[in-house]
Amino acid sequence: MPSLMRALRLPQNDPLAIIGVTIYVVFLLVALFADVLASDPFEILFTEDGNLAANLPPSLAYPLGTTNLGRDIFSQLVIGTRSAFLVGLTAAGAVVALGTIVGLVSGYFGGLTDQILMRLADIALGIPFLPFVIVLAAFLGPQTQNVVLAITVLLWPNTARVIRSQVLTLRERGFVEAARVAGSSDLRIIRVHIAPNIMPLSLLYGSIAIGWAILTEASISFLGFGPSDSISWGGMLQDAYASQALSRGSYYWFIPPGLCIVLVVVAGFFISRGYEEILFPKLKD
Amino acid sequence: MRSVAIRFAQMLLVLWAVATILFFLFRLMPGDPTLAYIDTTFTAEQQEELMRQFGLDRSLAEQYLLYFANVIQGEFGTSFRSKRPVFTIIFEVLPNTLALTVLSITIAYIFGVLVGAWLAWRRGSIAEAVGIPLVLTLRAAPEFWLGMVLLAIFAFGLGWLPSGGANSAGMQFSSTFDRLTSPDFLRHLILPAATLALYLQGLPLLLMRSNMLDVLQEDYVMMARMKGLPEWRILLLHAARNALLPVVTAFALGLGASVGGNVVVETVFSWPGLGRVLVDAVASSDYPLAQGAFMFIALILIVMNFVADLLYTVLDPRVSHG
Amino acid sequence: MSLLRVRGLAIDYATKGGTLHAVSRGTLDVGAAEVVGLVGESGCGKTTLARALTGIVPRNATFMGGEIVFEGRDVLNGPPDAWRDLLWRKISFVPQSSMNALDPVYRVGAQMTEVLRLRGGMGRAEAATRSEELFAMVGLDPRRASEYPHQFSGGMRQRAAIAMALALHPALVIADEPVTALDVIVQRQVLDTLRDLQSRLGVSVLLVTHDISVVAYVCDRVVVMYAGEVIESGTTRAVLEAPRHPYTMGLTNAFPDLERAGGTLAPIAGAPPDLRAPPQGCRFAPRCPFAQARCRAETPPLTIDADGHASACWRSDEAAALAENAKDPSTWTLMSTSAA
């Protein structure tokens, strides 16, 4: 654990950041070994007397009980970890990559390029987020990549704006000017002098974006526009909601997926807070 | 004044761009492009009327121009399902959405500002060590799940509050105002508003706290202490007054965003609002209604973004008395 | 009896790198209707000491000992309420840069009447009249009271800050680098206003500055600080013309002609010590061209002669000869090469 924290340049004395990383590691392990931990989440279970094992409360055989269709909730929860990470990591990666590139280009080159890119950012921020994701998912088909695409298209401006202002301050520093006078190419200046200085900030936004992406995917799945071919926590909650789990008081069904979402998302927040504390003194100097 | 004019022009540009994106977005949907406005269940006359109104038999460029002419007049066509004008449907549900949004965001911001300022003041205390992770955790919870938990406890478990809708079946009211102020409506409002408020309070709380921490370091706060002014006055009239500026902007932004973001809360509580109309319309391929609802949500968002800019200008004398 | 008497004041800052002893031997006096300069390099603790006289210190600062006696009462070791009660009524403050010291969201006039009403107990009308009077007194157009701080120029803000400090007829005004942020001509004007009002109102001023020419221009007496300690004090004439501490010699050496305005302290070779781990003995010894073995081992006490001229140097009885030596620039350059 300590070496991992060092590798991520995390503050080792910030308890919240340590909790955050621990949560991530645990869920990552669950996602990796999901096949070992869970049985087939789609399998329809029957009791020994041949009846459908529907709406069973938690027991030793089914730690979190069963759904109204006789499926094992625990297995769904474990398998759901995978889609959460799949969506969270790919969407966050795409958002941060796009945002960082736009912010770099906009801040470094300035002028008309900057104007155009920043107006594009205004436009993206003028599009209602969830409605857009819903419409896109409905029109392009309920697949994971469409949800990721919709998230990327709308969430990049936040990262881009922050990176841009950071690049603007970096550009004023002596070493960039010196490199320019010495005849370094723009590409080289960006690669050698600017990019390394904004990477921590990109990572910070990435760890927050993972959370937003997972929340968005869960919302979309809950509304019924999510990927229908895989098990996700949002989809489980939609199942529970639609099959009267609330009125039956089947807390074992709808509490665990929600808690898992909360844990993964808050882990990102905890880590990013730790990051802020080590980053901002450096950014302010 | 000049900067306000530029802001206004930028807002119009964004409105135009979003409307354009919407026009093409609704031509992405599967099938015949005339499907955006015409459903086979319409009568022949209705179909003809819509063909003419939206120029569906003409070129894409002409359709685009007609689309704008119609959007400006608030003309979004006829709902496939209810066969009523989209504009009418939207205006029926708008009061429900506004009541829910305005109430919950107001509660969330009042709570967030007070607690955020208090946590900044009690910096380094146990309240902070417990409070900050708690707020972050609440902020990480999906709105719809918070709603489900509240529903399970207060509506189904304890039976204290209704489980959905904005009014009990069969209630009659003489006016919209009557309906919105009736005890029946308010009882239905409690759970969705509480859910939304719980979700929204984190942002103003954390923002207010971090602004307060910055402002408390400012020289004018130290000077106020050196003047021997009472501590409450320093905290409220000097520190909090300054820390509040960005929170007010966030309030306007949040109001705009949550009208569209309400879709999940409105769905959980079957709340007849703009967001739920959109979800239902998309789910049932009622394209004109979906398009109209989307445009309305976007309009509110964009206008509130503009208002947020203006508010900052008005509230900060460094900008308004430049 | 002096108005303010500070003895052995010590203030620590808790920092990430450890405890920083910002002030360790703060000793000074301010008499009635007197202007006292507090000089030293940046980071020598002069601002910390000056601010501490109001009892309003940063969160990470702690009083470690000493006494602050104001009008015969030790406020540091007395009840906090009594100290608080003195603020602005008896002791007021003119900050370094009034840009940040005035609240940006309130009109300047409102900030003036706030203190007049809340601390001066005046009614609305009385406060308004007094506010106009104060504006006029420092040479500001009273009509500009309805403007916001950012609409004022730097000089106007500083005048407003002086007016505010004089609002309740205090006995002592602490002015922390009051003219540093201004250009030279405006500096003169503001200093003239300050000096003029001081003599008219009979108020005492403790003027914190790093600028020897400001001291020469307005101060009756001067207190020199180095590395958190007061190392010399006396009348301005005595200290600047016959300095007893080699550090003061180094400072004044840079200004052979004190009438020539606008200079700042010329750098003495080397850097001030790290106050988280100050050196043993005299803290100036590592940079002192006259340092001897004893200087590096034992801390010299601050001793006062019959004229009230105090200094903390083991060789102060040789001061006249050392001062002569110190006028030769090579004394300091030789020192720096041998140190290097």
Side-chain angles (χ1 to χ4, degrees):
Chain A
M1 191 68 72
S3 62
L4 181 74
M5 304 276 291
R6 245 198 316 279
L8 290 167
R9 288 211 269 155
L10 282 172
Q12 297 184 33
N13 49 7
D14 179 345
L16 285 189
I18 294 170
I19 294 173
V21 172
T22 311
I23 293 173
Y24 267 163
V25 170
V26 169
F27 274 102
L28 264 174
L29 288 176
V30 170
L32 283 176
F33 297 103
D35 294 331
V36 186
L37 293 165
S39 51
D40 178 6
F42 290 109
E43 186 192 350
I44 293 170
L45 304 165
F46 292 91
T47 54
E48 277 172 21
D49 46 13
N51 289 327
L52 187 67
N55 294 323
L56 292 181
S59 63
L60 267 181
Y62 315 118
L64 292 175
T66 59
T67 71
N68 61 323
L69 295 178
R71 288 171 174 152
D72 180 31
I73 294 173
F74 177 75
S75 297
Q76 294 196 342
L77 195 69
V78 168
I79 300 291
T81 313
R82 286 186 169 170
S83 67
F85 269 97
L86 184 68
V87 172
L89 290 176
T90 49
V95 165
V96 167
L98 185 60
T100 303
I101 290 169
V102 171
L104 261 176
V105 170
S106 200
Y108 187 81
F109 294 103
L112 188 64
T113 321
D114 180 39
Q115 278 292 321
I116 292 172
L117 288 173
M118 286 303 106
R119 289 294 82 73
L120 278 177
D122 284 349
I123 292 167
L125 292 174
I127 299 174
F129 183 54
L130 268 183
F132 180 77
V133 185
I134 292 168
V135 170
L136 215 63
F139 287 178
L140 297 182
Q143 283 121 28
T144 309
Q145 65 261 35
N146 292 334
V147 175
V148 170
L149 175 76
I151 292 173
T152 313
V153 168
L154 290 196
L155 279 190
W156 63 270
N158 298 318
T159 312
R161 284 183 169 180
V162 175
I163 296 292
R164 173 177 172 272
S165 68
Q166 185 63 15
V167 172
L168 285 179
T169 38
L170 281 173
R171 248 179 49 159
E172 301 308 313
R173 299 265 180 88
F175 55 84
V176 174
E177 193 51 43
R180 202 181 322 217
V181 171
S184 292
S185 68
D186 287 336
L187 204 65
R188 193 183 147 75
I189 293 175
I190 290 180
R191 198 163 49 84
V192 176
H193 298 288
I194 294 189
N197 281 298
I198 57 166
M199 280 321 278
L201 203 59
S202 298
L203 283 177
L204 169 74
Y205 272 72
S207 69
I208 301 173
I210 293 177
W212 293 136
I214 290 175
L215 277 179
T216 307
E217 195 270 343
S219 300
I220 295 301
S221 300
F222 174 74
L223 293 173
F225 301 103
S228 45
D229 49 348
S230 64
I231 299 274
S232 74
W233 295 331
M236 289 175 69
L237 288 169
Q238 193 218 5
D239 260 3
Y241 180 81
S243 35
Q244 268 78 48
L246 302 191
S247 56
R248 275 199 311 271
S250 311
Y251 288 92
Y252 52 86
W253 191 358
F254 65 85
I255 293 288
L259 273 184
C260 285
I261 297 173
V262 172
L263 282 174
V264 175
V265 175
V266 88
F269 289 172
F270 283 176
I271 291 172
S272 70
R273 255 182 62 80
Y275 255 114
E276 264 176 82
E277 252 131 60
I278 50 168
L279 272 178
F280 283 110
K282 195 180 137 213
L283 293 176
K284 272 176 187 164
D285 73 7
Chain B
M1 243 14 246
R2 221 179 88 79
S3 69
V4 173
I6 293 174
R7 289 279 174 210
F8 189 75
Q10 283 178 353
M11 180 191 78
L12 291 182
L13 176 82
V14 171
L15 268 177
W16 164 79
V18 172
T20 303
I21 290 169
L22 197 57
F23 174 81
F24 287 105
L25 192 62
F26 276 80
R27 270 149 194 78
L28 272 181
M29 81 220 161
D32 182 354
T34 60
L35 274 178
Y37 297 99
I38 292 185
D39 191 60
T40 45
T41 60
F42 285 158
T43 63
E45 296 89 72
Q46 272 177 326
Q47 294 198 16
E48 206 153 302
E49 164 70 18
L50 288 164
M51 286 292 264
R52 198 180 49 71
Q53 192 177 6
F54 292 94
L56 297 178
D57 47 355
R58 296 193 229 163
S59 73
L60 199 64
E62 279 174 293
Q63 284 187 32
Y64 180 68
L65 290 177
L66 263 174
Y67 163 81
F68 261 95
N70 284 318
V71 163
I72 288 165
Q73 295 167 41
E75 183 56 74
F76 294 98
T78 305
S79 160
F80 289 170
R81 273 198 310 176
S82 68
K83 311 286 188 283
R84 293 160 61 215
V86 166
F87 197 78
T88 314
I89 298 175
I90 288 174
F91 262 77
E92 267 171 20
V93 299
L94 196 59
N96 293 332
T97 289
L98 290 181
L100 172 61
T101 310
V102 172
L103 177 72
S104 45
I105 200 171
T106 306
I107 293 171
Y109 271 67
I110 291 174
F111 173 84
V113 161
L114 293 177
V115 176
W118 181 70
L119 282 179
W121 183 51
R122 297 288 310 275
R123 188 175 159 206
S125 66
I126 299 203
E128 186 192 34
V130 178
I132 297 296
L134 189 71
V135 171
L136 288 173
T137 306
L138 263 179
R139 199 159 165 62
E143 287 167 275
F144 63 88
W145 182 65
L146 282 179
M148 285 168 70
V149 174
L150 292 185
L151 264 182
I153 297 171
F154 294 102
F156 295 116
L158 299 169
W160 291 351
L161 292 164
S163 63
N167 287 106
S168 306
M171 298 282 283
Q172 295 288 321
F173 299 98
S174 54
S175 70
T176 305
F177 180 80
D178 251 22
R179 184 172 70 77
L180 294 183
T181 49
S182 68
D184 177 62
F185 179 81
L186 296 177
R187 256 169 56 82
H188 282 80
L189 186 57
I190 292 174
L191 280 184
T195 305
L196 203 51
L198 271 178
Y199 177 74
L200 291 171
Q201 51 80 35
L203 178 72
L205 194 155
L206 295 171
L207 189 61
M208 185 66 189
R209 175 178 165 274
S210 93
N211 290 342
M212 272 298 265
L213 288 177
D214 286 345
V215 169
L216 286 173
Q217 302 291 317
E218 291 283 350
D219 285 351
Y220 53 78
V221 171
M222 179 198 76
M223 283 302 291
R225 292 220 162 91
M226 284 188 175
K227 286 174 188 165
L229 298 178
E231 194 68 12
W232 65 265
R233 195 179 167 93
I234 298 171
L235 277 176
L236 291 183
L237 294 188
H238 293 281
R241 170 67 177 80
N242 275 281
L244 210 53
L245 285 175
V247 183
V248 173
T249 310
F251 178 84
L253 290 174
L255 189 59
S258 95
V259 168
N262 279 353
V263 285
V264 285
V265 170
E266 292 186 355
T267 303
V268 175
F269 293 98
S270 316
W271 185 260
L274 206 48
R276 185 149 170 272
V277 163
L278 176 81
V279 172
D280 285 352
V282 173
S284 59
S285 305
D286 190 343
Y287 298 123
L289 187 56
Q291 202 172 342
F294 193 108
M295 193 62 218
F296 241 85
I297 291 170
L299 179 75
I300 294 171
L301 174 69
I302 294 166
V303 170
M304 288 316 288
N305 285 358
F306 173 66
V307 169
D309 266 355
L310 280 194
L311 264 181
Y312 199 82
T313 318
V314 173
L315 288 176
D316 190 340
R318 279 162 294 194
V319 187
S320 58
H321 291 71
Chain C
M1 186 191 77
S2 58
L3 175 71
L4 174 74
R5 203 169 71 100
V6 181
R7 289 292 176 271
L9 187 66
I11 298 163
D12 282 359
Y13 282 127
T15 69
K16 273 190 181 160
T19 304
L20 190 145
H21 309 288
V23 176
S24 11
R25 287 199 293 165
T27 294
L28 61 84
D29 292 87
V30 179
E34 196 179 40
V35 182
V36 176
L38 180 58
V39 289
E41 293 164 295
S42 65
C44 73
K46 56 187 192 299
T47 291
T48 302
L49 193 160
R51 286 187 177 187
L53 302 177
T54 65
I56 308 297
V57 294
R59 283 176 62 96
N60 62 341
T62 320
F63 286 101
M64 301 305 291
E67 53 189 51
I68 299 174
V69 182
F70 185 80
E71 289 184 334
R73 267 201 327 212
D74 184 351
V75 288
L76 177 56
N77 302 302
D81 283 350
W83 198 354
R84 242 176 96 92
D85 202 52
L86 292 176
L87 294 182
W88 229 255
R89 294 181 179 144
K90 288 284 191 180
I91 304 174
S92 66
F93 194 86
V94 178
Q96 188 158 24
S97 157
S98 302
M99 181 69 221
N100 302 324
L102 293 167
D103 192 325
V105 301
Y106 295 106
R107 297 170 199 276
V108 179
Q111 300 187 44
M112 179 74 89
T113 47
E114 178 186 40
V115 77
L116 287 170
R117 297 185 62 189
L118 269 108
R119 300 291 292 159
M122 296 183 192
R124 193 181 292 271
E126 195 188 351
T129 318
R130 173 77 178 140
S131 169
E132 274 189 26
E133 210 175 281
L134 286 160
F135 267 77
M137 196 168 82
V138 294
L140 285 174
D141 182 349
R143 279 172 302 182
R144 303 201 66 159
S146 63
E147 294 187 359
Y148 288 96
H150 73 276
Q151 293 169 292
F152 275 35
S153 70
M156 288 167 65
R157 277 198 292 269
Q158 218 54 41
R159 285 171 187 276
I162 292 171
M164 223 173 270
L166 296 171
L168 303 178
H169 307 289
L172 173 67
V173 174
I174 299 160
D176 182 15
E177 303 267 13
V179 295
T180 304
L182 309 175
D183 69 58
V184 179
I185 296 166
V186 184
Q187 279 195 359
R188 266 299 153 104
Q189 292 168 350
V190 173
L191 285 176
D192 287 341
T193 307
L194 186 66
R195 178 90 233 198
D196 172 54
L197 288 169
Q198 182 273 329
S199 59
R200 251 170 54 204
L201 304 173
V203 56
S204 301
V205 176
L206 179 66
L207 184 93
V208 181
T209 180
H210 66 281
D211 189 338
I212 286 275
S213 67
V214 168
V215 172
Y217 190 62
V218 293
C219 295
D220 302 313
R221 290 200 309 114
V222 58
V223 176
V224 185
M225 278 186 80
Y226 180 77
E229 300 180 332
V230 170
I231 49 105
E232 182 158 5
S233 65
T235 62
T236 306
R237 175 168 284 267
V239 172
L240 296 189
E241 288 180 7
R244 297 223 179 123
H245 194 286
Y247 176 66
T248 319
M249 293 172 195
L251 289 187
T252 53
N253 198 31
F255 299 91
D257 176 10
L258 286 171
E259 293 307 305
R260 215 171 55 203
T264 48
L265 301 186
I268 297 167
D274 181 356
L275 291 182
R276 279 169 298 206
Q280 227 194 341
C282 173
R283 290 187 180 174
F284 186 60
R287 297 168 80 187
C288 182
F290 312 118
Q292 298 170 331
R294 185 186 191 185
C295 302
R296 296 190 188 90
E298 295 170 56
T299 307
L302 189 70
T303 50
I304 308 184
D305 73 4
D307 309 329
H309 191 159
S311 67
C313 174
W314 289 120
R315 301 182 69 183
S316 56
D317 25 330
E318 305 166 56
L322 297 183
E324 213 38 56
N325 213 332
K327 278 183 186 148
D328 180 359
S330 64
T331 306
W332 300 88
T333 41
L334 280 176
M335 167 65 200
S336 59
T337 45
S338 69

